[in-house]
Amino acid sequence: MDVLNLIGGRWIEGEGAEFADTNPARPSEVVARGRFASVPEVERAVAAARAAAPGWAATPHHARAAVLVAAADLVDRSAEDWGAELAREEGKTLPEAVAEVRGAARILRYYAGEADRESGEIFASPRPGENVLVVRKPVGVAGLITPFNFPIAIPAWKIAPALTYGNTVVWKPSSLVPLLAYRLAWALTEAGLPDGVLNLVHGEADAGSAIVGHPGVDAVSFTGSTAVGRAVIARCGELGKPVQTEMGGKNASVVLADADLDHAAEQVCLGAFRSTGQKCTATSRLIVADRVADELLERVAERAARLVVGDPLDAGVEMGPLVSSTARERVSAGVARAVEEGAKPLAGASPVDREGWFVPPTVLDLPGTGVDFWRTELFGPVVGAVRAASAEEALGLANLSDHGLSAAVFTRDLGVALQAVDRLEVGVLHVNSESAGTFPYVPFGGAKQSGFGPKEQGRAAREFYTRTVTVYLGAPA
C-alpha cells in the first residue's frame, strides 16, 4: 500500500526520504510505503491552510458538522478493514483495533454535535439598553502532532474539534503509523472537506519542528513524550502561540485492604497489559495494602502469566507486540535495570519466543520507590508493585511522581475514595476501574509533567480551538 501526503487538496508523494511501514509482529512484512514531506512541503501545507482558513471559518457550523458526520459514516463502514490494518501497523489486537476505529467515528459525531450546542454567552450589563455578548471564533491554523499508540483515535480527537470550531489543520502523525493517518485524511476529504482545510504531512522531527516554529501556525497541539513535549512548550512560548500538550504518564493503581481483590487484579492487568501497555494512561505502578499484598500480587501475576501473547490478528490473542525494535529494547532494558536494583520478577521472566517485537507481560515486586523504574516511563506491559501500611501512605506514594496523568483506587470505603479525589495529583481518576480509558465527551489531560495547556476532549477542547471576543452591545443613541 502506498501512502501519500495531502497538501492543498492534492495527494502527493513527497520530496523527502522513502519510508517503509512494517508489521511489528512480523518485521519482514511491509504494510505500507511512502515518502516523507520535505520542509518546503510543510511550508506549502501551512500556506494552503492559511488560504483556506477564511472560507472554512465563514462556513456555517452545521455545514462543517455535516462533513464530520459523513466522514464518521465512512470510518464506521471501514472499521473491520481498517482495524485489521491498524493491528498490522501498530500491534494492537484485532478487537482493540476495530474498537479504536469505531471510537474515532464516535468522536467525529460528537464534535459534529457542537453545531447544535450553545456557541456563546450573554450577560446583563449595568448600563441601560446594553447587553454583553461573549462570542467564539476559531484560532486560525492548528498544527497537530500525534503519536503512534492510537493512530486514528488521537488524531480524531484533535482534528474533529479543530474543524468543527472553524480552524484549518496541518497534521503530522507519527512516522510509525502512516497508513491509518492516510485512511482518516481520506475519509475527511471524501466526505467533502474543502481543499486546504486539512493537510497531512508525513515526516519525522524536522517536519514537526517546521510546524511548531512556523509563523503561519496559530496554535499547536501535541501528544507524545514528556521530553519532546517540553521542547514544544518552550518553542511555542518563545513564539507566543497557544500550545496544548499531553505527555507522559507513570500511572499508579492503589489497591486497599477492603478492595474486591479478584476485581482489582483483573482491572490492574487490563490497565497494565491491554494495548501492550502502550497507553499514556496504562497502569505502571501498583501500590498495595500490606495486609493483602501477597494475595493480590499472586492474582495479578497469575493473570499476567495466562495472557495469550501473539500475532494481534490471530483469534484469542490478548496482547500483541510493541511497536518497534527500539521500544522492545527500551522496555527490556528497563526491566533488567529494575532487577539489578533489587526487583523480583513475579511474571514475565522468560522472553517471548517468536519473531517480532514481543515482550512478556511483566509483574515486578519492587524493593521500594528508590529504583529507577518508579520514576521512568517504559511505555510497555510492565507493572511494578510496592507495599503501603495505610491508605494515607498509599495515596502519598501514588503522588510520588513527576507525572500526574491518571490513577486508579480500589476500595469499598466511600470516605477513602473521596479522600483520593481530594489528594491525588492527576487529571483522570478511576475508582474501582482500570487507570486507562476515557470518554470523548469529558475532559482529558494530566497534571504536573503529564500535561500543559487546556484539556482535550469534551467541551474542554473549545477552550483551545477557539478564542473569545467580548462584545458590549448597546442600543443606538
Side-chain angles (χ1 to χ4, degrees), residues 104-127:
R106 286 194 297 275
I107 292 165
L108 293 171
R109 290 194 181 96
Y110 172 83
Y111 282 106
E114 282 292 88
D116 294 329
R117 301 179 187 117
E118 54 83 14
S119 60
E121 299 171 284
I122 185 167
F123 294 84
S125 170
R127 294 193 287 257

Side-chain angles (χ1 to χ4, degrees), residues 68-134:
L68 296 182
V69 170
D73 290 342
L74 290 171
V75 172
D76 253 340
R77 289 201 294 271
S78 306
E80 298 293 333
D81 291 340
W82 293 2
E85 290 178 336
L86 196 161
R88 290 176 63 221
E89 178 175 63
E90 191 266 347
K92 277 189 179 72
T93 64
L94 183 58
E96 287 181 280
V98 172
E100 181 181 336
V101 176
R102 294 199 187 282
R106 286 194 297 275
I107 292 165
L108 293 171
R109 290 194 181 96
Y110 172 83
Y111 282 106
E114 282 292 88
D116 294 329
R117 301 179 187 117
E118 54 83 14
S119 60
E121 299 171 284
I122 185 167
F123 294 84
S125 170
R127 294 193 287 257
E130 181 180 71
N131 285 298
V132 182
L133 281 62
V134 177

Side-chain angles (χ1 to χ4, degrees), residues 12 31 35 67 81 90 105 127-128 134 144 153 244 349 370 375 415 427 463 471:
I12 64 171
V31 177
R35 296 185 74 98
V67 174
D81 291 340
E90 191 266 347
R127 294 193 287 257
V134 177
L144 309 181
Q244 173 192 67
R375 301 181 297 276
E463 301 307 314
V471 181

Side-chain angles (χ1 to χ4, degrees), residues 212 227-241 243 245 452:
V212 172
V228 176
R230 293 178 73 174
V232 170
I233 294 165
R235 182 67 175 134
C236 288
E238 291 173 3
L239 298 171
K241 67 176 66 177
V243 62
T245 64
F452 183 88

Side-chain angles (χ1 to χ4, degrees), residues 5-393:
N5 299 274
L6 176 65
I7 298 176
R10 294 179 55 239
W11 291 102
I12 64 171
E13 187 177 50
E15 299 170 350
E18 294 182 357
F19 64 82
D21 175 22
T22 58
N23 183 341
R26 292 189 297 276
S28 59
E29 176 187 306
V30 175
V31 177
R33 297 183 185 275
R35 296 185 74 98
F36 292 136
S38 65
V39 169
E41 285 175 315
V42 174
E43 292 171 351
R44 290 201 290 273
V46 175
R50 291 216 71 80
W56 184 244
T59 300
H61 199 162
H62 283 86
R64 300 195 299 259
V67 174
L68 296 182
V69 170
D73 290 342
L74 290 171
V75 172
D76 253 340
R77 289 201 294 271
S78 306
E80 298 293 333
D81 291 340
W82 293 2
E85 290 178 336
L86 196 161
R88 290 176 63 221
E89 178 175 63
E90 191 266 347
K92 277 189 179 72
T93 64
L94 183 58
E96 287 181 280
V98 172
E100 181 181 336
V101 176
R102 294 199 187 282
R106 286 194 297 275
I107 292 165
L108 293 171
R109 290 194 181 96
Y110 172 83
Y111 282 106
E114 282 292 88
D116 294 329
R117 301 179 187 117
E118 54 83 14
S119 60
E121 299 171 284
I122 185 167
F123 294 84
S125 170
R127 294 193 287 257
E130 181 180 71
N131 285 298
V132 182
L133 281 62
V134 177
V135 299
R136 290 185 176 271
K137 295 185 176 182
V139 296
V141 176
L144 309 181
I145 301 173
T146 58
F148 76 85
N149 57 326
F150 285 88
I152 193 167
I154 290 178
W157 82 43
K158 293 182 187 291
I159 293 170
L163 295 181
T164 200
Y165 297 127
N167 302 279
T168 56
V169 169
V170 179
W171 168 35
K172 190 199 87 67
S174 167
S175 59
L176 294 170
V177 287
L179 180 52
L180 266 292
Y182 175 77
R183 295 302 192 199
L184 179 58
W186 173 85
L188 286 159
T189 56
E190 189 74 6
L193 202 64
D195 292 352
V197 172
L198 173 65
N199 301 273
L200 166 66
V201 289
H202 298 290
E204 297 188 292
D206 60 341
S209 296
I211 291 171
V212 172
H214 199 293
V217 172
D218 297 298
V220 174
S221 180
F222 167 87
T223 297
S225 71
T226 299
V228 176
R230 293 178 73 174
V232 170
I233 294 165
R235 182 67 175 134
C236 288
E238 291 173 3
L239 298 171
K241 67 176 66 177
V243 62
Q244 173 192 67
T245 64
E246 195 275 290
M247 300 180 285
K250 193 67 182 176
N251 311 296
S253 285
V254 175
V255 181
L256 299 177
D258 66 332
D260 179 328
L261 297 188
D262 281 331
H263 175 72
E266 175 194 44
Q267 294 296 305
V268 166
C269 286
L270 290 174
F273 306 129
R274 196 147 53 177
S275 299
T276 320
Q278 296 176 128
K279 292 180 178 179
C280 52
T281 54
T283 299
S284 178
R285 298 179 295 143
L286 178 57
I287 302 157
V288 192
D290 268 333
R291 186 154 59 88
V292 296
D294 289 342
E295 188 177 356
L296 187 280
L297 291 179
E298 181 180 0
R299 297 183 193 200
V300 170
E302 286 176 355
R303 287 177 180 273
R306 290 200 307 266
L307 286 174
V308 179
V309 180
D311 189 314
L313 291 172
D314 290 347
V317 167
E318 297 170 285
M319 196 181 90
L322 291 166
V323 73
S324 67
S325 60
T326 302
R328 185 178 68 172
E329 289 166 6
R330 181 187 65 247
V331 171
S332 298
V335 171
R337 187 163 56 249
V339 172
E340 288 173 3
E341 292 180 323
K344 176 184 176 184
L346 304 179
S350 301
V352 178
D353 184 19
R354 61 178 299 146
E355 180 192 10
W357 313 130
F358 292 92
V359 295
T362 302
V363 182
L364 301 174
D365 191 351
L366 302 178
T369 61
V371 296
D372 182 70
F373 180 88
W374 191 261
R375 301 181 297 276
T376 303
E377 182 182 34
L378 294 186
F379 219 62
V382 187
V383 61
V386 298
R387 291 158 168 77
S390 64
E392 183 78 13
E393 182 187 7

